[in-house]
Amino acid sequence: MSQIESILKNSTLSVTTGRKRILEIFLSSNNALAHQDIESQCADEYDRVTIYRTLQTFLEKGIIHNIPSTDNITRYALCNEACIVSGHHHDNHVHFKCDSCGKTVCLDEVTIPKVQLPKGYTMKEINMVVNGVCKTCR
Amino acid sequence: MSQIESILKNSTLSVTTGRKRILEIFLSSNNALAHQDIESQCADEYDRVTIYRTLQTFLEKGIIHNIPSTDNITRYALCNEACIVSGHHHDNHVHFKCDSCGKTVCLDEVTIPKVQLPKGYTMKEINMVVNGVCKTCR
DNA sequence: ATGATTTTGCAACAAAGTTGCATTCCCTGT
DNA sequence: ACAGGGAATGCAACTTTGTTGCAAAATCAT
């Protein structure tokens, strides 16, 4: 069984050609993808709506996570195994968006430092996004 | 001259009733606002397009800053004076979004800790967003 | 292989954001 | 105070983005 199929099976999802194709696109990309990026790669094969629904399903199953940004474009990236701890997704690495090439990458090696919230606030999830120039654009 | 007018004048913007009204909405709100929030407060007074353009202008002038989020809704908050250092906006406080009431606030008292990026990466801006439950919802 | 269930595509819709242009408003100099 | 030039606004039209219902097709378990 292929890597792609086992990812789907592990999340108790049926294996369809559409899901396999979208997973393949993520696996062959080294940066985070917006809906638009995926659509432009397989709009002739799959419907726009299918892509929306597939991304939604992948999110819920913790196969991908979404990355906050100030430009109002939701980008998704594959979760690595460490992402999913006891069914609950926990992303503790920094995301970097390059102002030059526009690509967003997960900096797996940079962990988000702890912060002390004011009294009364409870933390459930934390995200850190850095903008700047990436190593290939510098 | 009112506080609102001097904010506009300091940014070399002409003082119009629309801009004053939108600034007023920000000043009287203690949380970050999405375009929709503003529209619902003054849709009868000003056109949707005007609100878009005004927010865009305020962003460019550094009067407001936008706050990243994973829910794909751009929210804006007033910059305090510390935000604008030599014309360039620099936001170094943590943002908190409450999962219960949905409000996003600037935690001015919590500064973003330094992080070490991998070799070759240059940092221009850093954002930290915490999700959880705020003190009024707990 | 067959039937139940899930997924997909299509169509239609709703929401969000953009653009061009004519009108109105604001600011400056007199 | 007011006239003229430039900027801001409103309107209409449009594009993009995301959602929903339903029938057809694909997947999975037996």
Side-chain angles (χ1 to χ4, degrees):
Chain A
M1 183 163 52
S2 74
Q3 179 194 8
I4 288 176
E5 286 191 14
S6 57
I7 291 175
L8 291 172
K9 291 255 173 81
N10 286 344
S11 302
T12 61
L13 289 175
S14 46
V15 179
T16 68
T17 51
R19 287 175 179 166
K20 283 197 286 184
R21 181 75 180 91
I22 290 177
L23 261 185
E24 187 189 298
I25 291 172
F26 273 109
L27 283 165
S28 63
S29 161
N30 50 1
N31 54 274
L33 300 171
H35 171 93
Q36 181 56 51
D37 299 324
I38 294 163
E39 199 180 320
S40 64
Q41 282 189 60
C42 63
D44 48 338
E45 306 164 66
Y46 301 102
D47 193 81
R48 226 160 51 83
V49 177
T50 302
I51 299 171
Y52 277 113
R53 291 198 267 227
T54 303
L55 289 175
Q56 190 55 41
T57 305
F58 285 1
L59 251 192
E60 283 161 9
K61 292 292 185 177
I63 295 173
I64 57 178
H65 60 270
N66 62 1
I67 299 168
S69 79
T70 50
D71 63 6
N72 203 17
I73 296 173
T74 313
R75 270 171 270 258
Y76 305 89
L78 276 183
C79 290
N80 54 33
E81 308 76 49
C83 261
I84 310 164
V85 182
S86 67
H88 189 71
H89 177 263
H90 194 70
D91 216 18
N92 66 339
H93 60 264
V94 172
H95 292 113
F96 186 90
K97 163 133 189 277
C98 179
D99 293 328
S100 175
C101 64
K103 287 183 181 170
T104 300
V105 294
C106 298
L107 297 179
D108 288 310
E109 64 271 41
V110 186
T111 50
I112 299 178
K114 296 256 180 301
V115 287
Q116 181 70 42
L117 293 182
K119 244 183 139 55
Y121 288 86
T122 321
M123 181 183 306
K124 208 171 263 173
E125 198 189 312
I126 185 162
N127 272 290
M128 197 162 194
V129 196
V130 178
N131 282 66
V133 182
C134 74
K135 61 182 178 196
T136 50
C137 286
R138 120 192 106 133
Chain B
M1 183 162 54
S2 74
Q3 179 194 7
I4 288 177
E5 286 191 14
S6 56
I7 292 175
L8 292 171
K9 292 253 173 82
N10 287 342
S11 301
T12 61
L13 289 175
S14 47
V15 179
T16 68
T17 52
R19 287 175 179 166
K20 282 196 285 184
R21 180 76 180 92
I22 290 177
L23 260 185
E24 186 188 299
I25 292 172
F26 273 109
L27 282 165
S28 63
S29 160
N30 50 1
N31 53 273
L33 300 171
H35 170 92
Q36 181 56 53
D37 300 323
I38 295 163
E39 200 181 320
S40 64
Q41 282 189 62
C42 64
D44 48 337
E45 306 164 65
Y46 301 102
D47 195 80
R48 224 160 53 84
V49 177
T50 301
I51 299 171
Y52 278 114
R53 292 198 266 227
T54 302
L55 289 174
Q56 191 55 42
T57 305
F58 284 1
L59 250 192
E60 283 161 8
K61 292 292 184 176
I63 296 174
I64 57 176
H65 61 268
N66 61 2
I67 299 169
S69 80
T70 50
D71 64 5
N72 204 17
I73 296 174
T74 313
R75 269 171 271 259
Y76 305 89
L78 276 184
C79 290
N80 53 34
E81 308 75 48
C83 259
I84 310 163
V85 182
S86 67
H88 189 71
H89 177 263
H90 194 69
D91 216 18
N92 66 340
H93 60 262
V94 171
H95 292 112
F96 185 91
K97 164 133 188 278
C98 178
D99 294 329
S100 174
C101 64
K103 288 185 180 168
T104 300
V105 293
C106 298
L107 298 179
D108 288 309
E109 64 271 41
V110 186
T111 51
I112 299 178
K114 297 254 179 304
V115 288
Q116 182 70 43
L117 293 182
K119 244 182 141 55
Y121 288 86
T122 321
M123 181 183 306
K124 207 170 267 172
E125 197 189 313
I126 185 161
N127 272 290
M128 196 162 196
V129 196
V130 178
N131 282 66
V133 183
C134 75
K135 63 181 174 194
T136 51
C137 286
R138 119 189 106 132

PDB file of all heavy atoms in Angstrom, chain B residues 77-106:
ATOM      1  N   ALA B  77      -6.975  46.379  14.057  1.00  0.00           N
ATOM      2  CA  ALA B  77      -6.986  47.055  15.345  1.00  0.00           C
ATOM      3  C   ALA B  77      -6.171  48.332  15.236  1.00  0.00           C
ATOM      4  O   ALA B  77      -5.254  48.429  14.421  1.00  0.00           O
ATOM      5  CB  ALA B  77      -6.416  46.153  16.441  1.00  0.00           C
ATOM      6  N   LEU B  78      -6.538  49.309  16.047  1.00  0.00           N
ATOM      7  CA  LEU B  78      -5.800  50.564  16.086  1.00  0.00           C
ATOM      8  C   LEU B  78      -4.374  50.307  16.531  1.00  0.00           C
ATOM      9  O   LEU B  78      -4.123  49.480  17.406  1.00  0.00           O
ATOM     10  CB  LEU B  78      -6.448  51.516  17.091  1.00  0.00           C
ATOM     11  CG  LEU B  78      -7.618  52.361  16.632  1.00  0.00           C
ATOM     12  CD1 LEU B  78      -8.018  53.273  17.768  1.00  0.00           C
ATOM     13  CD2 LEU B  78      -7.255  53.163  15.403  1.00  0.00           C
ATOM     14  N   CYS B  79      -3.459  51.014  15.950  1.00  0.00           N
ATOM     15  CA  CYS B  79      -2.093  50.957  16.417  1.00  0.00           C
ATOM     16  C   CYS B  79      -1.935  51.960  17.549  1.00  0.00           C
ATOM     17  O   CYS B  79      -2.463  53.059  17.481  1.00  0.00           O
ATOM     18  CB  CYS B  79      -1.133  51.344  15.293  1.00  0.00           C
ATOM     19  SG  CYS B  79      -1.037  50.112  13.986  1.00  0.00           S
ATOM     20  N   ASN B  80      -1.217  51.581  18.564  1.00  0.00           N
ATOM     21  CA  ASN B  80      -0.864  52.599  19.537  1.00  0.00           C
ATOM     22  C   ASN B  80       0.425  53.267  19.062  1.00  0.00           C
ATOM     23  O   ASN B  80       1.010  52.866  18.058  1.00  0.00           O
ATOM     24  CB  ASN B  80      -0.722  52.004  20.942  1.00  0.00           C
ATOM     25  CG  ASN B  80       0.214  50.833  20.964  1.00  0.00           C
ATOM     26  OD1 ASN B  80       1.197  50.814  20.218  1.00  0.00           O
ATOM     27  ND2 ASN B  80      -0.056  49.850  21.794  1.00  0.00           N
ATOM     28  N   GLU B  81       0.856  54.281  19.759  1.00  0.00           N
ATOM     29  CA  GLU B  81       1.978  55.078  19.256  1.00  0.00           C
ATOM     30  C   GLU B  81       3.228  54.218  19.044  1.00  0.00           C
ATOM     31  O   GLU B  81       3.956  54.358  18.072  1.00  0.00           O
ATOM     32  CB  GLU B  81       2.326  56.217  20.223  1.00  0.00           C
ATOM     33  CG  GLU B  81       1.139  57.071  20.616  1.00  0.00           C
ATOM     34  CD  GLU B  81       0.230  56.357  21.613  1.00  0.00           C
ATOM     35  OE1 GLU B  81       0.763  55.826  22.600  1.00  0.00           O
ATOM     36  OE2 GLU B  81      -0.996  56.306  21.380  1.00  0.00           O
ATOM     37  N   ALA B  82       3.423  53.274  19.960  1.00  0.00           N
ATOM     38  CA  ALA B  82       4.615  52.434  19.887  1.00  0.00           C
ATOM     39  C   ALA B  82       4.663  51.611  18.610  1.00  0.00           C
ATOM     40  O   ALA B  82       5.702  51.132  18.179  1.00  0.00           O
ATOM     41  CB  ALA B  82       4.691  51.519  21.100  1.00  0.00           C
ATOM     42  N   CYS B  83       3.489  51.446  18.006  1.00  0.00           N
ATOM     43  CA  CYS B  83       3.382  50.629  16.800  1.00  0.00           C
ATOM     44  C   CYS B  83       4.214  51.189  15.655  1.00  0.00           C
ATOM     45  O   CYS B  83       4.773  50.461  14.858  1.00  0.00           O
ATOM     46  CB  CYS B  83       1.935  50.593  16.336  1.00  0.00           C
ATOM     47  SG  CYS B  83       1.081  49.092  16.777  1.00  0.00           S
ATOM     48  N   ILE B  84       4.208  52.523  15.560  1.00  0.00           N
ATOM     49  CA  ILE B  84       4.838  53.132  14.400  1.00  0.00           C
ATOM     50  C   ILE B  84       6.211  53.676  14.783  1.00  0.00           C
ATOM     51  O   ILE B  84       6.336  54.688  15.451  1.00  0.00           O
ATOM     52  CB  ILE B  84       3.963  54.264  13.833  1.00  0.00           C
ATOM     53  CG1 ILE B  84       2.533  53.762  13.642  1.00  0.00           C
ATOM     54  CG2 ILE B  84       4.527  54.766  12.529  1.00  0.00           C
ATOM     55  CD1 ILE B  84       1.525  54.870  13.484  1.00  0.00           C
ATOM     56  N   VAL B  85       7.229  52.943  14.382  1.00  0.00           N
ATOM     57  CA  VAL B  85       8.589  53.371  14.672  1.00  0.00           C
ATOM     58  C   VAL B  85       9.223  53.798  13.357  1.00  0.00           C
ATOM     59  O   VAL B  85       9.336  53.000  12.439  1.00  0.00           O
ATOM     60  CB  VAL B  85       9.403  52.230  15.319  1.00  0.00           C
ATOM     61  CG1 VAL B  85      10.798  52.715  15.661  1.00  0.00           C
ATOM     62  CG2 VAL B  85       8.697  51.701  16.548  1.00  0.00           C
ATOM     63  N   SER B  86       9.573  55.052  13.262  1.00  0.00           N
ATOM     64  CA  SER B  86      10.176  55.641  12.058  1.00  0.00           C
ATOM     65  C   SER B  86       9.409  55.248  10.796  1.00  0.00           C
ATOM     66  O   SER B  86       9.965  54.712   9.851  1.00  0.00           O
ATOM     67  CB  SER B  86      11.645  55.235  11.949  1.00  0.00           C
ATOM     68  OG  SER B  86      11.766  53.855  11.702  1.00  0.00           O
ATOM     69  N   GLY B  87       8.111  55.514  10.841  1.00  0.00           N
ATOM     70  CA  GLY B  87       7.287  55.302   9.652  1.00  0.00           C
ATOM     71  C   GLY B  87       6.967  53.852   9.372  1.00  0.00           C
ATOM     72  O   GLY B  87       6.019  53.534   8.687  1.00  0.00           O
ATOM     73  N   HIS B  88       7.759  52.949   9.936  1.00  0.00           N
ATOM     74  CA  HIS B  88       7.530  51.537   9.656  1.00  0.00           C
ATOM     75  C   HIS B  88       6.811  50.889  10.824  1.00  0.00           C
ATOM     76  O   HIS B  88       7.219  51.024  11.972  1.00  0.00           O
ATOM     77  CB  HIS B  88       8.869  50.842   9.406  1.00  0.00           C
ATOM     78  CG  HIS B  88       8.703  49.447   8.911  1.00  0.00           C
ATOM     79  ND1 HIS B  88       8.236  49.164   7.649  1.00  0.00           N
ATOM     80  CD2 HIS B  88       8.920  48.266   9.514  1.00  0.00           C
ATOM     81  CE1 HIS B  88       8.172  47.868   7.507  1.00  0.00           C
ATOM     82  NE2 HIS B  88       8.576  47.295   8.616  1.00  0.00           N
ATOM     83  N   HIS B  89       5.748  50.220  10.485  1.00  0.00           N
ATOM     84  CA  HIS B  89       4.930  49.598  11.517  1.00  0.00           C
ATOM     85  C   HIS B  89       5.644  48.411  12.151  1.00  0.00           C
ATOM     86  O   HIS B  89       6.179  47.556  11.476  1.00  0.00           O
ATOM     87  CB  HIS B  89       3.613  49.139  10.901  1.00  0.00           C
ATOM     88  CG  HIS B  89       2.746  48.427  11.876  1.00  0.00           C
ATOM     89  ND1 HIS B  89       2.716  47.066  11.965  1.00  0.00           N
ATOM     90  CD2 HIS B  89       1.911  48.897  12.813  1.00  0.00           C
ATOM     91  CE1 HIS B  89       1.867  46.733  12.913  1.00  0.00           C
ATOM     92  NE2 HIS B  89       1.364  47.816  13.431  1.00  0.00           N
ATOM     93  N   HIS B  90       5.628  48.420  13.479  1.00  0.00           N
ATOM     94  CA  HIS B  90       6.240  47.280  14.138  1.00  0.00           C
ATOM     95  C   HIS B  90       5.434  46.895  15.357  1.00  0.00           C
ATOM     96  O   HIS B  90       5.364  47.611  16.337  1.00  0.00           O
ATOM     97  CB  HIS B  90       7.680  47.605  14.539  1.00  0.00           C
ATOM     98  CG  HIS B  90       8.438  46.379  14.914  1.00  0.00           C
ATOM     99  ND1 HIS B  90       8.787  45.425  13.989  1.00  0.00           N
ATOM    100  CD2 HIS B  90       8.865  45.935  16.105  1.00  0.00           C
ATOM    101  CE1 HIS B  90       9.425  44.451  14.610  1.00  0.00           C
ATOM    102  NE2 HIS B  90       9.475  44.725  15.896  1.00  0.00           N
ATOM    103  N   ASP B  91       4.828  45.749  15.228  1.00  0.00           N
ATOM    104  CA  ASP B  91       3.885  45.271  16.208  1.00  0.00           C
ATOM    105  C   ASP B  91       4.561  44.166  16.993  1.00  0.00           C
ATOM    106  O   ASP B  91       4.913  43.147  16.445  1.00  0.00           O
ATOM    107  CB  ASP B  91       2.715  44.681  15.428  1.00  0.00           C
ATOM    108  CG  ASP B  91       1.407  44.937  16.097  1.00  0.00           C
ATOM    109  OD1 ASP B  91       1.355  45.833  16.943  1.00  0.00           O
ATOM    110  OD2 ASP B  91       0.456  44.242  15.769  1.00  0.00           O
ATOM    111  N   ASN B  92       4.756  44.377  18.248  1.00  0.00           N
ATOM    112  CA  ASN B  92       5.465  43.322  18.974  1.00  0.00           C
ATOM    113  C   ASN B  92       4.676  42.760  20.144  1.00  0.00           C
ATOM    114  O   ASN B  92       5.238  42.228  21.079  1.00  0.00           O
ATOM    115  CB  ASN B  92       6.839  43.809  19.435  1.00  0.00           C
ATOM    116  CG  ASN B  92       6.701  44.904  20.463  1.00  0.00           C
ATOM    117  OD1 ASN B  92       5.660  45.536  20.548  1.00  0.00           O
ATOM    118  ND2 ASN B  92       7.746  45.109  21.235  1.00  0.00           N
ATOM    119  N   HIS B  93       3.365  42.914  20.079  1.00  0.00           N
ATOM    120  CA  HIS B  93       2.563  42.328  21.142  1.00  0.00           C
ATOM    121  C   HIS B  93       1.784  41.114  20.628  1.00  0.00           C
ATOM    122  O   HIS B  93       1.599  40.929  19.432  1.00  0.00           O
ATOM    123  CB  HIS B  93       1.620  43.366  21.748  1.00  0.00           C
ATOM    124  CG  HIS B  93       0.654  43.951  20.771  1.00  0.00           C
ATOM    125  ND1 HIS B  93       0.855  45.148  20.151  1.00  0.00           N
ATOM    126  CD2 HIS B  93      -0.518  43.486  20.300  1.00  0.00           C
ATOM    127  CE1 HIS B  93      -0.145  45.397  19.346  1.00  0.00           C
ATOM    128  NE2 HIS B  93      -1.000  44.400  19.400  1.00  0.00           N
ATOM    129  N   VAL B  94       1.328  40.315  21.566  1.00  0.00           N
ATOM    130  CA  VAL B  94       0.611  39.083  21.238  1.00  0.00           C
ATOM    131  C   VAL B  94      -0.874  39.393  21.020  1.00  0.00           C
ATOM    132  O   VAL B  94      -1.429  40.262  21.682  1.00  0.00           O
ATOM    133  CB  VAL B  94       0.787  38.070  22.392  1.00  0.00           C
ATOM    134  CG1 VAL B  94      -0.109  36.857  22.217  1.00  0.00           C
ATOM    135  CG2 VAL B  94       2.252  37.656  22.506  1.00  0.00           C
ATOM    136  N   HIS B  95      -1.483  38.708  20.070  1.00  0.00           N
ATOM    137  CA  HIS B  95      -2.921  38.831  19.852  1.00  0.00           C
ATOM    138  C   HIS B  95      -3.626  37.592  20.385  1.00  0.00           C
ATOM    139  O   HIS B  95      -3.135  36.476  20.246  1.00  0.00           O
ATOM    140  CB  HIS B  95      -3.223  39.007  18.362  1.00  0.00           C
ATOM    141  CG  HIS B  95      -2.748  40.312  17.817  1.00  0.00           C
ATOM    142  ND1 HIS B  95      -1.725  40.410  16.910  1.00  0.00           N
ATOM    143  CD2 HIS B  95      -3.142  41.573  18.080  1.00  0.00           C
ATOM    144  CE1 HIS B  95      -1.516  41.680  16.625  1.00  0.00           C
ATOM    145  NE2 HIS B  95      -2.351  42.413  17.321  1.00  0.00           N
ATOM    146  N   PHE B  96      -4.788  37.837  20.963  1.00  0.00           N
ATOM    147  CA  PHE B  96      -5.538  36.733  21.553  1.00  0.00           C
ATOM    148  C   PHE B  96      -6.938  36.677  20.962  1.00  0.00           C
ATOM    149  O   PHE B  96      -7.649  37.671  20.941  1.00  0.00           O
ATOM    150  CB  PHE B  96      -5.638  36.922  23.068  1.00  0.00           C
ATOM    151  CG  PHE B  96      -6.288  35.765  23.767  1.00  0.00           C
ATOM    152  CD1 PHE B  96      -5.521  34.710  24.241  1.00  0.00           C
ATOM    153  CD2 PHE B  96      -7.663  35.714  23.934  1.00  0.00           C
ATOM    154  CE1 PHE B  96      -6.114  33.627  24.877  1.00  0.00           C
ATOM    155  CE2 PHE B  96      -8.267  34.628  24.565  1.00  0.00           C
ATOM    156  CZ  PHE B  96      -7.486  33.588  25.034  1.00  0.00           C
ATOM    157  N   LYS B  97      -7.308  35.502  20.470  1.00  0.00           N
ATOM    158  CA  LYS B  97      -8.664  35.335  19.942  1.00  0.00           C
ATOM    159  C   LYS B  97      -9.415  34.348  20.816  1.00  0.00           C
ATOM    160  O   LYS B  97      -8.971  33.212  21.024  1.00  0.00           O
ATOM    161  CB  LYS B  97      -8.622  34.826  18.507  1.00  0.00           C
ATOM    162  CG  LYS B  97      -9.951  34.266  18.036  1.00  0.00           C
ATOM    163  CD  LYS B  97     -10.366  34.769  16.664  1.00  0.00           C
ATOM    164  CE  LYS B  97     -11.782  34.327  16.326  1.00  0.00           C
ATOM    165  NZ  LYS B  97     -11.854  32.960  15.807  1.00  0.00           N
ATOM    166  N   CYS B  98     -10.556  34.783  21.339  1.00  0.00           N
ATOM    167  CA  CYS B  98     -11.343  33.917  22.217  1.00  0.00           C
ATOM    168  C   CYS B  98     -12.234  33.000  21.391  1.00  0.00           C
ATOM    169  O   CYS B  98     -12.995  33.463  20.537  1.00  0.00           O
ATOM    170  CB  CYS B  98     -12.192  34.768  23.156  1.00  0.00           C
ATOM    171  SG  CYS B  98     -13.236  33.770  24.241  1.00  0.00           S
ATOM    172  N   ASP B  99     -12.136  31.699  21.653  1.00  0.00           N
ATOM    173  CA  ASP B  99     -12.943  30.735  20.908  1.00  0.00           C
ATOM    174  C   ASP B  99     -14.404  30.811  21.316  1.00  0.00           C
ATOM    175  O   ASP B  99     -15.282  30.347  20.588  1.00  0.00           O
ATOM    176  CB  ASP B  99     -12.428  29.314  21.160  1.00  0.00           C
ATOM    177  CG  ASP B  99     -11.031  29.126  20.596  1.00  0.00           C
ATOM    178  OD1 ASP B  99     -10.717  29.771  19.579  1.00  0.00           O
ATOM    179  OD2 ASP B  99     -10.257  28.346  21.176  1.00  0.00           O
ATOM    180  N   SER B 100     -14.656  31.388  22.472  1.00  0.00           N
ATOM    181  CA  SER B 100     -16.024  31.429  22.962  1.00  0.00           C
ATOM    182  C   SER B 100     -16.789  32.647  22.422  1.00  0.00           C
ATOM    183  O   SER B 100     -17.801  32.502  21.762  1.00  0.00           O
ATOM    184  CB  SER B 100     -16.007  31.441  24.489  1.00  0.00           C
ATOM    185  OG  SER B 100     -17.308  31.611  24.990  1.00  0.00           O
ATOM    186  N   CYS B 101     -16.280  33.843  22.656  1.00  0.00           N
ATOM    187  CA  CYS B 101     -16.991  35.031  22.192  1.00  0.00           C
ATOM    188  C   CYS B 101     -16.519  35.495  20.821  1.00  0.00           C
ATOM    189  O   CYS B 101     -17.144  36.358  20.205  1.00  0.00           O
ATOM    190  CB  CYS B 101     -16.855  36.177  23.202  1.00  0.00           C
ATOM    191  SG  CYS B 101     -15.184  36.794  23.438  1.00  0.00           S
ATOM    192  N   GLY B 102     -15.422  34.930  20.342  1.00  0.00           N
ATOM    193  CA  GLY B 102     -14.950  35.268  19.005  1.00  0.00           C
ATOM    194  C   GLY B 102     -14.172  36.567  18.917  1.00  0.00           C
ATOM    195  O   GLY B 102     -13.684  36.920  17.852  1.00  0.00           O
ATOM    196  N   LYS B 103     -14.052  37.270  20.031  1.00  0.00           N
ATOM    197  CA  LYS B 103     -13.361  38.548  19.993  1.00  0.00           C
ATOM    198  C   LYS B 103     -11.844  38.393  19.974  1.00  0.00           C
ATOM    199  O   LYS B 103     -11.300  37.478  20.594  1.00  0.00           O
ATOM    200  CB  LYS B 103     -13.779  39.403  21.192  1.00  0.00           C
ATOM    201  CG  LYS B 103     -15.196  39.919  21.068  1.00  0.00           C
ATOM    202  CD  LYS B 103     -15.553  40.852  22.209  1.00  0.00           C
ATOM    203  CE  LYS B 103     -16.997  41.349  22.037  1.00  0.00           C
ATOM    204  NZ  LYS B 103     -17.492  42.020  23.248  1.00  0.00           N
ATOM    205  N   THR B 104     -11.218  39.294  19.253  1.00  0.00           N
ATOM    206  CA  THR B 104      -9.767  39.318  19.189  1.00  0.00           C
ATOM    207  C   THR B 104      -9.268  40.572  19.872  1.00  0.00           C
ATOM    208  O   THR B 104      -9.757  41.655  19.586  1.00  0.00           O
ATOM    209  CB  THR B 104      -9.293  39.311  17.730  1.00  0.00           C
ATOM    210  OG1 THR B 104      -9.777  38.128  17.093  1.00  0.00           O
ATOM    211  CG2 THR B 104      -7.772  39.335  17.649  1.00  0.00           C
ATOM    212  N   VAL B 105      -8.334  40.416  20.777  1.00  0.00           N
ATOM    213  CA  VAL B 105      -7.801  41.589  21.464  1.00  0.00           C
ATOM    214  C   VAL B 105      -6.274  41.621  21.361  1.00  0.00           C
ATOM    215  O   VAL B 105      -5.635  40.601  21.158  1.00  0.00           O
ATOM    216  CB  VAL B 105      -8.196  41.603  22.966  1.00  0.00           C
ATOM    217  CG1 VAL B 105      -9.693  41.807  23.123  1.00  0.00           C
ATOM    218  CG2 VAL B 105      -7.749  40.333  23.652  1.00  0.00           C
ATOM    219  N   CYS B 106      -5.732  42.811  21.484  1.00  0.00           N
ATOM    220  CA  CYS B 106      -4.291  42.973  21.545  1.00  0.00           C
ATOM    221  C   CYS B 106      -3.871  42.860  23.004  1.00  0.00           C
ATOM    222  O   CYS B 106      -4.379  43.601  23.854  1.00  0.00           O
ATOM    223  CB  CYS B 106      -3.880  44.349  21.024  1.00  0.00           C
ATOM    224  SG  CYS B 106      -4.301  44.630  19.303  1.00  0.00           S
TER     225      CYS B 106
END
